[in-house]
Amino acid sequence: MSDNSLLVELTGITKRFPGVLALDSVDMNIVSGEVHGLVGENGAGKSTLIKILTGAYTHDEGKIIFDGKQLTQLTPSKAIELGIACIYQELDLIPHMTVVENIFLGRELYKTKGLKIIDRKRMLEETESLLKNLKLNFDPTKNTCDLGIGHRQMVEICKAVNSNAKLIIMDEPTSSLSEHETEELFEIIAQLKEKGVTVVYISHRLDEIKRICDRITVLRDGKKVADLNINDASIDNIIHLMVGRDIVNKYPKIKSNRGKEALSVQGLERKGILHNISFKAYTGEILGITGLVGAGRTEMARAIIGADPIDAGVVKIFGEEMNIRSPRDSIKAAIAFLPEDRRNQGLVLIKDVLFNVSLVKLKQYSHRGFLQLKNIHQDVDQLVSELKIRTPSVNTIVAELSGGNQQKVVIAKWLLTKARIFIFDEPTRGIDVGAKVEVYNLINELIKNDAAIIIISSEMDEVMEMADRIIVMHEGEIMGEFAHEEATQEKILYLASGIKISA
Ligand SMILES: Nc1ncnc2c1ncn2[C@@H]1O[C@H](COP(=O)(O)OP(=O)(O)OP(=O)(O)O)[C@@H](O)[C@H]1O
Ligand SMILES: [Mg+2]
């Protein structure tokens, strides 16, 4: 007999991939109507577990009971029929279809039953009212590939809400949302809960987990290590369960001395996007750039590295004026840029870890036209262990790694370059608490070796704790700058929302 209050009962779920025991007899119970958090380090098995519940993967052992019935031979379409919807970590919208088409994909509305003529008008109207209900305002007739990553995420959420699911699983939904959009999502979750929808919520942001979840399940190395009421655990307790030890210093900032002017940007303009951007970055220093999503931070970085054209502005590298027209030019100018949308811009998914990490630096490893494979192997091995990239070997294809471990591969790739200026766009997005510290430590190493670091981040704590100086942007303009000591959350938010403080 199964317990009525349980919507989902997973018992003894085991899943093996070649060389990896991803899940080792995991139990998870989800109570009807609750928000259930699923936490664990990168590669702990969270996404795999939910992919089993959505029929995307088949499990090797174990039992799934959903809504009182045991499910066997679950497929993705069967799961949707049963009312299980999932917003995957790697969004799966169709890029060249509109928001409306994506939301109604596979569930199109027809004018007449028999003739199967798609009722575009009604689909548009329903999408508009869905967006309005969720207090979202963007154009639903746009192709999803023309939306920012934050809005694409919102489209996924609309799609799930629209499917009238009983269970909505969100795999790191806020990793690319602004604080404002995150608040909107939390409101949506509260609305869903009121309607009796059950939510499974995966996140590395434990403050969010603490705030919105009723209960959590903690995974470590493919095993369930705990399930508890959220009120029975502090964030530090949760970290201890996830990592198996305490993390004393989440932001290991070191004291360093400002060195030479590495990058100088003056009067950078891009019509309608960037306005009169001027700032300097120095060696031995971390410059933080923050602002709300859409403030133009990524656009600014892309303009500097030559990925987007500029209308005016001077960029100097170590005092020398440079004409950077393409990312290739910027690599030559010793600039490394870690993009925020790493899956699309940073990785060749079907290639292995070794290839991806060494891609930008293949030349460095060539000697008289021959690749020095041994040297590549050594360097990549070292980074894999420093960043604790969970992979069976460096020859594993990147598509088989967990989301967070894919992120680490992109970071490793840029760390390996002999760049002097590093621009990291959301460097710790999707990365677990323990690995974050490793990323900061590696950034510290770069500073000690006289690099200039620019960190673009929406995570206020990260910028406030790690940066020596903080620049705040709003709608394509720099609103102001703070030294590490003078920055407070209030001051930053003030500038980020576009209010200029007069001197
Ligand atoms: N398709 C696959 N083929 C082979 N191995 C896989 C595949 N998918 C996942 N794995 C492995 O299973 C383990 C668990 O991965 P999973 O994606 O579930 O982790 P996760 O907890 O979601 O991590 P993250 O926080 O990084 O997203 C990892 O070691 C991963 O490399
Ligand atoms: Mg995952």
Side-chain angles (χ1 to χ4, degrees), residues 29 249 300 315 390 494:
N29 289 337
N249 189 1
M300 181 191 78
V315 173
R390 263 180 80 127
Y494 215 49

Side-chain angles (χ1 to χ4, degrees), residues 42-43 45-48 51 89-90 171-172 202 204 402-404:
N42 297 129
K46 305 178 295 294
S47 296
T48 304
K51 281 179 183 163
Q89 194 170 8
E90 51 286 335
D171 197 349
E172 294 189 44
I202 299 178
H204 290 291
S402 79

Side-chain angles (χ1 to χ4, degrees), residues 198-217:
T198 308
V199 175
V200 170
Y201 192 88
I202 299 178
S203 179
H204 290 291
R205 297 189 180 167
L206 299 176
D207 48 336
E208 294 180 353
I209 293 281
K210 192 78 187 137
R211 211 179 120 190
I212 65 159
C213 295
D214 300 302
R215 291 193 320 123
I216 58 169
T217 294

